[in-house]
Amino acid sequence: MRPRQFDEDHVLDVALRLLDEGGNASLSVRSLAAELGVRPNAIYTYVADRSTLDAALAERVLALTDVALLDGAPAQWRRRIERFALATRAVLHTHPGAVPLLMSTPLRGPIALIIGEKLLEAFADAGLGRADASRASYALMVHLFGSVALDIAETDGRAPLAPEADRIAERAESVALIPKDVYPRTAASAATMAAWVGEAQFRWGITRLLDGIAPTKPG
Amino acid sequence: MRPRQFDEDHVLDVALRLLDEGGNASLSVRSLAAELGVRPNAIYTYVADRSTLDAALAERVLALTDVALLDGAPAQWRRRIERFALATRAVLHTHPGAVPLLMSTPLRGPIALIIGEKLLEAFADAGLGRADASRASYALMVHLFGSVALDIAETDGRAPLAPEADRIAERAESVALIPKDVYPRTAASAATMAAWVGEAQFRWGITRLLDGIAPTKPG
DNA sequence: ACCTGAACACCGTTCAAGT
DNA sequence: ACCTGAACACCGTTCAAGT
């Protein structure tokens, strides 16, 4: 009959903070309990088990996304998708520790559904039929989430991430060691390769994908 | 002065088998040791620590890929990339438990480099300049790895994966529950959405991406 | 050089008991 | 209804000791 000490949102916020501060291994049922000032098993009042906690965290980070960026005039469909993709990438970069959770959980929560629905709308505005719009939506999510996941795989998962320029510079150092006799083309394009984790590369990929999905007709 | 009981390859093979058989949580330093008939700490003779083991497993799975599929006549660049992407997707589906490792480790081993080098060659054959070829290679890898990771996030990570038709049918059931008043477009394209985890969707995405990267000029 | 024994500081989860 | 105490079956990793 005791009152609940916290609501579920607060529990998830604290969990997310632990993830942001400490990197990948810093969140556990026990560390979360300690942070809340409670015994480990009390966590099970708020959450069914560890994997449910992870899924809830993934959905929570997705909820930070601004889906309204997908709204707008039909003719602006491309700009709407691009700005949403850019902004979502930025949000996910803010919570790097949650990204592996996003990539290992089925994305079926309400936020994932809203994003899907609005992407369908944008691609319909682009002139695509029902099936193609659906395929295009998924292709875009694959590129968005996949790109962020690979970016973050190179970091320790702690927030805030190092500035982009630093992350690229660090890659440049390691890429410089690639033997140019074995990998000549790779060595010759080292600078571009170092910048794979940057926003320009992300824009480039999204642009080409959208070009392939809805080509502007010649003439 | 005792002889090494195993070589590193064997240790990795056994680890991969544990991952395949038991799903995500079935591989641990201790379970690996038990399977090899040795005490837990003996593992550290072969591997520096757990995260090194994970990285080695990721590289090992990547090594199962057939990079020769990227070779061929310059005019066939598109076919070379497509068949490589398809085959690599199939290989990764064979070791689903290793895919999360692939997505959370920097891909800098020799196999990753060879794949990159050969992709650069293929995109050069497509007529791209050095920087664009590099960006295109990464975009393709993002799509390939991202797509497989999202596919596998819907499974329990045990090999063999259920047949594609079954996985799609299971998704269809859950997608059928989406309320059509809130998500009308999503509900209307439910069948396509259920098939997001299928090979046809993967082909579609790769095709559109390549279309955007190296458009066949009109006329 | 390789493996064991023992130990340390952790995990997630359960169950019965207290309020 | 919520939390605690206690326990269980796990983790990864270290260190000194044996061969």
Side-chain angles (χ1 to χ4, degrees):
Chain A
M1 205 63 156
R2 236 187 296 194
R4 233 178 162 88
Q5 291 198 30
F6 333 98
D7 58 5
E8 207 200 311
D9 278 359
H10 181 243
V11 172
L12 291 179
D13 283 343
V14 172
L16 191 53
R17 184 161 51 76
L18 283 174
L19 216 48
D20 286 341
E21 283 172 1
N24 268 329
S26 63
L27 173 65
S28 66
V29 171
R30 295 179 103 102
S31 68
L32 177 54
E35 191 72 13
L36 291 167
V38 108
R39 302 291 150 187
N41 43 3
I43 295 299
Y44 294 94
T45 302
Y46 300 92
V47 141
D49 59 17
R50 174 58 200 262
S51 69
T52 307
L53 171 64
D54 286 345
L57 280 174
E59 180 76 5
R60 189 155 192 78
V61 168
L62 220 48
L64 299 173
T65 274
D66 185 5
V67 287
L69 293 173
L70 281 168
D71 295 330
Q76 300 280 350
W77 68 270
R78 195 186 241 277
R79 175 172 150 63
R80 284 150 56 199
I81 292 172
E82 285 170 347
R83 73 187 176 196
F84 169 77
L86 258 307
T88 300
R89 175 177 182 272
V91 165
L92 298 181
H93 275 209
T94 306
H95 298 286
V99 169
L101 308 182
L102 257 178
M103 295 302 287
S104 56
T105 247
L107 296 175
R108 302 205 180 144
I111 311 288
L113 286 176
I114 294 175
I115 292 173
E117 181 75 11
K118 297 224 172 198
L119 277 173
L120 285 177
E121 214 172 301
F123 281 118
D125 287 345
L128 299 192
R130 241 201 337 247
D132 275 358
S134 176
R135 293 192 192 280
S137 297
Y138 191 63
L140 190 97
M141 290 193 275
V142 162
H143 209 89
L144 170 56
F145 294 132
S147 175
V148 173
L150 291 185
D151 286 358
I152 280 163
E154 312 239 336
T155 74
D156 63 3
R158 272 205 291 271
L161 244 41
E164 176 175 308
D166 296 6
R167 298 200 324 274
I168 292 176
E170 205 183 335
R171 273 179 63 83
E173 277 182 52
S174 106
V175 165
L177 305 176
I178 296 172
K180 80 182 242 194
D181 49 339
V182 191
Y183 312 100
R185 290 176 190 274
T186 305
S189 56
T192 307
M193 188 178 175
W196 278 355
V197 297
E199 188 185 291
Q201 166 73 33
F202 180 74
R203 280 179 184 279
W204 191 96
I206 293 288
T207 300
R208 299 307 159 119
L209 181 61
L210 292 178
D211 282 349
I213 287 171
T216 32
K217 277 141 204 133
Chain B
M1 204 64 156
R2 237 187 296 192
R4 234 178 161 88
Q5 291 198 30
F6 333 99
D7 58 6
E8 207 200 311
D9 278 359
H10 182 243
V11 172
L12 292 178
D13 282 343
V14 172
L16 190 53
R17 183 162 51 77
L18 283 174
L19 215 48
D20 286 342
E21 284 172 1
N24 268 330
S26 63
L27 172 65
S28 66
V29 171
R30 296 179 102 103
S31 68
L32 177 55
E35 191 73 12
L36 290 167
V38 109
R39 303 290 150 189
N41 43 5
I43 296 299
Y44 295 94
T45 302
Y46 301 92
V47 141
D49 58 17
R50 174 59 199 260
S51 69
T52 307
L53 171 63
D54 286 344
L57 280 173
E59 180 75 5
R60 188 154 193 78
V61 168
L62 219 48
L64 300 174
T65 274
D66 185 5
V67 287
L69 293 173
L70 282 168
D71 294 331
Q76 300 279 351
W77 68 269
R78 194 187 243 276
R79 174 171 152 62
R80 285 150 55 199
I81 292 172
E82 285 170 346
R83 73 187 176 196
F84 171 77
L86 258 307
T88 300
R89 174 177 182 273
V91 165
L92 298 181
H93 275 209
T94 305
H95 299 285
V99 170
L101 307 182
L102 258 176
M103 294 303 286
S104 57
T105 246
L107 297 175
R108 301 201 181 149
I111 312 287
L113 285 176
I114 294 175
I115 293 173
E117 181 75 12
K118 298 223 172 198
L119 278 173
L120 285 177
E121 213 171 302
F123 282 118
D125 288 344
L128 300 191
R130 242 203 334 250
D132 275 358
S134 175
R135 294 191 191 281
S137 297
Y138 191 63
L140 190 98
M141 290 193 273
V142 162
H143 210 89
L144 170 55
F145 294 132
S147 176
V148 172
L150 292 184
D151 286 357
I152 280 163
E154 311 239 336
T155 75
D156 63 3
R158 271 203 292 270
L161 244 41
E164 175 175 308
D166 295 6
R167 299 201 323 275
I168 292 176
E170 204 184 334
R171 274 179 63 85
E173 277 182 50
S174 106
V175 165
L177 304 175
I178 296 173
K180 79 180 243 193
D181 50 339
V182 190
Y183 312 100
R185 291 177 189 274
T186 305
S189 56
T192 307
M193 189 178 175
W196 278 354
V197 297
E199 189 185 289
Q201 165 73 34
F202 180 73
R203 279 179 185 281
W204 191 96
I206 293 288
T207 300
R208 300 306 159 119
L209 181 60
L210 292 179
D211 283 349
I213 287 172
T216 33
K217 276 143 204 128

